[in-house]
Amino acid sequence: PMQVFNGRLSYATVTQSYQVEVTHREFAIGVQIQRKMWDDDLSGEIKMIFSDIGRVASILRQENAIQPFDNAFVLDSEFYTHEDALALCSNSHTTPVAGVDTSTGYDNLSTAKFSATALTADCYTFRKFKDYNGEPLDERPDCIVVPPELEAEAQVVVKTNFGLDTAGRDHNVHGGMFEVVSPVKLSSVNNWFVVNKGLMKQNQLWIDRKPFETNKMRVFDTYAYRGSGYQRFSYFRKGWWWILGHNAD
């Protein structure tokens, strides 16, 4: 903690955080079209195959971008290894700082199904999350990530201003407080997450080691046209406190 200044600085001890080793993976695809098919393509369908390389690359990125959520309850080693060797959402998070009590404030795993009651409990739990030094972060979630099957229910919870679940016209404390995101590629129809977007951008990182590129050429001896796409990327996490996950399957 910050000390009273008496004319001379007191220097804090800096503890190294957990080490993360990231491996960027390569992805590529190629197509080849015969010369006569290219010449006889009156509708443009054959030439569209080359432009579809970009669409395929975009789909791949979306599939990988959702993996931190799909793998939230297991050890994710797709692109990186984290020294704590725990799932993103776990009730056993630790700290590299010696002497810090981790019995409270280090659990971001729940099994509750989606409801307004569960969301209320999440907001309290989120504020109690602690950093590696054992200090409460006092942050609130501002985004709910749900599968499409739960999107309508989530929208009702966050957009109903009065009378949610009762006829008493009581004020809904969640009204207008959350953005609802429903990625179609989430594999579970029951698992859901609350997220602080600012903390997510600081702790869940995507690296475009080599942004998507395309190449096209004509083969000399066959007159065929060839096209290819290439990209190299990875993702990894630092801290876990940007998310609270519900393994409700």
Side-chain angles (χ1 to χ4, degrees), residues 105 107-108 125-130 136-137 240-241 243-244:
D107 180 355
N108 69 334
T125 300
F126 218 98
R127 292 189 65 186
K128 294 290 187 177
F129 284 165
K130 296 178 181 178
L137 293 167
W240 52 266
W241 40 76
I243 185 171
L244 195 160

Side-chain angles (χ1 to χ4, degrees), residues 67-142:
Q67 284 188 166
F69 296 93
D70 269 347
N71 296 337
F73 309 114
V74 298
L75 184 60
D76 188 352
S77 57
E78 185 71 20
F79 291 94
Y80 70 98
T81 57
H82 199 289
E83 190 178 2
D84 70 1
L86 292 170
L88 171 61
C89 296
S90 170
N91 53 19
S92 304
H93 285 296
T94 57
T95 171
V97 181
V100 174
D101 180 11
T102 60
S103 60
T104 61
Y106 290 86
D107 180 355
N108 69 334
L109 171 63
S110 171
T111 57
K113 293 186 179 299
F114 181 80
S115 69
T117 301
L119 184 58
T120 300
D122 286 353
C123 292
Y124 173 78
T125 300
F126 218 98
R127 292 189 65 186
K128 294 290 187 177
F129 284 165
K130 296 178 181 178
D131 62 17
Y132 288 142
N133 292 313
E135 297 294 333
L137 293 167
D138 198 12
E139 295 282 358
R140 301 173 186 268
D142 55 13

